[in-house]
Amino acid sequence: MSDFFGHLLGLLRVEALASRHQAVFAAGRTRRPDFARHASLESVLASLADARAETYPEREALTRALVAEVQASSSPAWTAALASAYAPMLRRLRRRLLSNAVSREDLDQLVIATFLAVARGFPLARWGDWTAARLRQQTAREVFRHLRKERAEQHETYTQAQLAEWLPDTRHATPVESPRRPSVRRSFVKRDAVLVHLAQATLPRSDVEVLMATVVRREKLRTYVSRLVEGDAAEAERTYQRLKRQRTRLMQRLRTQVVDAVAQPATGC
């Protein structure tokens, strides 16, 4: 689990306990009888942290009251409080996650965002018990579903029609002077096809997009950046320098995998 994830959870707790939310909680107490004996959200969180078996009924009731407020109110106090209350569960889930398809920071945010999305859509009227267990199960299911989808997209196999669309079209190319040039050109096309497959199987989508634009479509990197960043010269330059370093690392990584394929004779092309 990254330090950033613990930092995010800490920020959520600070947000939940901010003094500016006292009025929000006071209004919530009038709507939710389960909050009645608590003077603040800090008291609610303390009760939810009490894991003794005899406190389960109160924890269940407080969880359902928080979920109801998350669904009914736009105040960040309720979402922050619910995430803070279930921080131990979220940490355990985050520790289970390893993915080459998603960065660590994105995994951190995925866990929290998925948990809150599950809470917003939780059917309180249909599921009247085991709320904590159901939140945990639904969150884990949605997180792993998302990661399976990301992994499947990265390992998608391209058809010949897709490769033909992406690779430089040489069907109508005019013969050149050197008799060796067509073979060299065919080797470039073959190399590009290998790079595409390797990149799709091993690299994040952002790296694949840079590869497709600047290696396969032969687009200049600055042209590619100008499409990403419009009107801000400083940001465009920062993006250009970042993507330039990213592409260099990407190519170094792929060259070690593609060298054998490039060295093969270009027969049969």
Side-chain angles (χ1 to χ4, degrees):
M1 185 182 73
S2 71
D3 293 339
F4 182 64
F5 189 68
H7 180 64
L8 280 178
L9 292 175
L11 290 177
L12 286 169
R13 185 174 179 84
V14 169
E15 176 67 24
L17 301 182
S19 58
R20 64 180 177 276
H21 295 317
Q22 276 292 347
V24 173
F25 180 71
R29 289 181 72 197
T30 66
R31 295 187 295 269
R32 312 292 170 190
D34 296 303
F35 290 149
R37 80 172 189 87
H38 297 277
S40 66
L41 274 172
E42 186 172 13
S43 175
V44 171
L45 295 182
S47 293
L48 284 167
D50 186 349
R52 291 177 300 163
E54 58 267 30
T55 67
Y56 173 78
E58 182 183 16
R59 286 184 281 123
E60 170 75 5
L62 290 175
T63 294
R64 295 181 67 82
L66 283 175
V67 170
E69 286 299 324
V70 166
Q71 295 177 355
S73 172
S74 61
S75 172
W78 304 112
T79 54
L82 186 64
S84 297
Y86 282 86
M89 179 270 282
L90 296 175
R91 287 193 181 95
R92 288 193 295 272
L93 174 58
R94 178 62 184 87
R95 280 194 289 266
R96 294 170 58 191
L97 303 182
L98 292 173
S99 175
N100 292 327
V102 181
S103 70
R104 288 183 302 174
E105 290 76 11
D106 286 345
L107 283 175
D108 296 339
Q109 297 182 53
L110 172 65
V111 169
I112 295 175
T114 302
F115 173 68
L116 295 177
V118 167
R120 291 187 186 98
F122 190 86
L124 288 166
R126 179 156 61 97
W127 289 341
D129 57 4
W130 300 105
T131 304
R134 295 179 192 276
L135 286 172
R136 181 180 69 251
Q137 292 166 358
Q138 289 292 313
T139 301
R141 184 177 297 128
E142 289 301 311
V143 166
F144 285 112
R145 183 193 64 78
H146 177 87
L147 293 180
R148 283 195 298 271
K149 180 180 178 183
E150 289 289 330
R151 191 174 298 113
E153 288 178 353
Q154 282 208 352
H155 289 80
E156 177 185 353
T157 301
Y158 290 121
T159 65
Q160 287 301 116
Q162 288 172 316
L163 288 173
E165 180 180 343
W166 290 329
L167 297 176
D169 188 354
T170 59
R171 288 173 299 178
H172 306 295
T174 303
V176 292
E177 296 80 1
S178 170
R180 297 181 59 189
R181 183 62 180 272
S183 295
V184 173
R185 184 59 183 163
R186 284 195 296 270
S187 73
F188 284 169
V189 173
K190 183 174 182 179
R191 181 200 65 183
D192 287 345
V194 174
L195 284 173
V196 168
H197 281 291
L198 286 173
Q200 185 69 3
T202 62
L203 296 175
R205 179 172 295 276
S206 60
D207 284 351
V208 176
E209 290 173 353
V210 173
L211 174 72
M212 295 297 298
T214 62
V215 176
V216 177
R217 295 197 299 268
R218 302 292 193 269
E219 186 175 1
K220 291 185 180 298
L221 183 58
R222 285 199 182 276
T223 303
Y224 175 69
V225 170
S226 69
R227 292 194 289 104
L228 297 180
V229 182
E230 297 181 359
D232 188 334
E235 179 62 24
E237 182 61 24
R238 285 193 295 270
T239 302
Y240 171 77
Q241 294 299 333
R242 176 175 59 80
L243 291 182
K244 183 178 179 181
R245 293 190 298 270
Q246 176 180 333
R247 186 180 62 175
T248 298
R249 292 192 300 269
L250 177 155
M251 295 305 295
Q252 289 173 344
R253 177 177 175 182
L254 290 179
R255 283 191 188 104
T256 62
Q257 302 176 62
V258 78
V259 63
D260 291 339
V262 174
Q264 293 176 359
T267 58
C269 294

